Amino acid sequence: MEYETIRSAVDAETEISRSRFLTRLERVTTEEEARAVIARVRSEHPRARHHCSAFVLGSDGRIQRSNDDGEPSGTAGAPMLDALTSAGLHDVVAVVTRYFGGVLLGAGGLTRAYRSSVADAVHRAERVRRAIRQEVTVHCSYDVAAQIESEARRRGYSIGQAQYSDRVAQRFAVSRGEIAPFTELVAELSAGAAEFEQGAAEYVDLAG
């Protein structure tokens, strides 16, 4: 199962009827991380009236939370959450800090303002797809390692960290259906000299 998240944090700002809306998007994987981001944003803007939030967690997006933080019920957190889910993003938290400008926006105006603030930040974000991949470590000589890495990169395999000693231990992230073709490729390039070690299957960022 694949899903999309953001590659890195995003900040955006908009002004609506003299109120300033500052949006922060960050990538998170747990509720604790999401709440830590919310607390940090709150501490960065102690004079702001509201720090509304929403987050979506998990590859299936099953964990969804939102908070109006003092705005009229349903006018902030829910539209923010809708902006995230409509964009198909998971493992992300949005915090919108509002500096009140003296003009009342009304329920409809607030709903549109909070949703559009998050939607604008989402539009600015660099998105990345994630999928389950099997970690495969290839142990081989230095000259063969360079050939394997070059060909693996050309074919779109995710390349991880390498360790160097008398030989190279290069990590790759391979889909389950590609393990056999990948090992055949490595065996061919190394003339059967490379050794394989399979690790855990986990979600990784996909290249491109």
Side-chain angles (χ1 to χ4, degrees):
M1 179 179 181
E2 295 187 5
Y3 69 93
E4 285 193 335
T5 185
I6 61 174
R7 189 175 296 279
S8 57
V10 176
D11 288 295
E13 179 177 347
T14 186
E15 183 173 322
I16 301 173
S17 298
R18 294 168 55 185
S19 282
R20 292 173 60 212
F21 293 84
L22 283 65
T23 304
R24 169 76 56 80
L25 289 185
E26 287 201 26
R27 180 171 168 175
V28 293
T29 57
T30 66
E31 288 199 44
E32 291 75 16
E33 290 179 1
R35 298 192 189 285
V37 171
I38 296 166
R40 175 158 38 84
V41 172
R42 185 183 299 275
S43 69
E44 292 172 357
H45 301 278
R47 295 185 179 181
R49 284 196 175 190
H50 307 284
H51 305 277
C52 306
S53 59
F55 56 84
V56 180
L57 302 176
S59 59
D60 56 1
R62 184 173 301 176
I63 299 176
Q64 300 182 7
R65 304 282 187 271
S66 63
N67 190 298
D68 294 314
D69 195 40
E71 294 283 26
S73 179
T75 63
M80 291 171 61
L81 183 61
D82 181 62
L84 294 178
T85 56
S86 295
L89 290 177
H90 300 194
D91 285 353
V92 64
V93 58
V95 187
V96 177
T97 297
R98 181 191 181 196
Y99 284 93
F100 182 57
V103 178
L104 296 176
L105 300 181
L110 285 172
T111 298
R112 289 188 295 273
Y114 278 102
R115 192 187 192 288
S116 64
S117 294
V118 174
D120 178 54
V122 167
H123 179 71
R124 297 167 184 252
E126 181 182 359
R127 301 166 74 115
V128 60
R129 289 187 304 125
R130 287 174 61 77
I132 292 178
R133 292 292 184 264
Q134 179 77 44
E135 182 184 279
V136 178
T137 302
V138 177
H139 301 267
C140 60
S141 62
Y142 279 74
D143 57 335
V144 171
Q147 297 178 49
I148 293 173
E149 180 179 346
S150 176
E151 186 62 21
R153 195 179 302 278
R154 188 183 72 81
R155 299 192 183 198
Y157 292 112
S158 296
I159 300 172
Q161 295 181 335
Q163 294 181 329
Y164 302 94
S165 57
D166 57 325
R167 306 179 81 198
V168 179
Q170 176 71 63
R171 294 179 180 176
F172 298 89
V174 184
S175 66
R176 290 170 180 170
E178 286 291 317
I179 291 178
F182 176 75
T183 55
E184 290 173 4
L185 170 67
V186 172
E188 178 183 347
L189 292 174
S190 68
E195 297 177 353
F196 301 92
E197 178 185 350
Q198 288 195 25
E202 58 186 8
Y203 275 98
V204 300
D205 291 357
L206 301 182

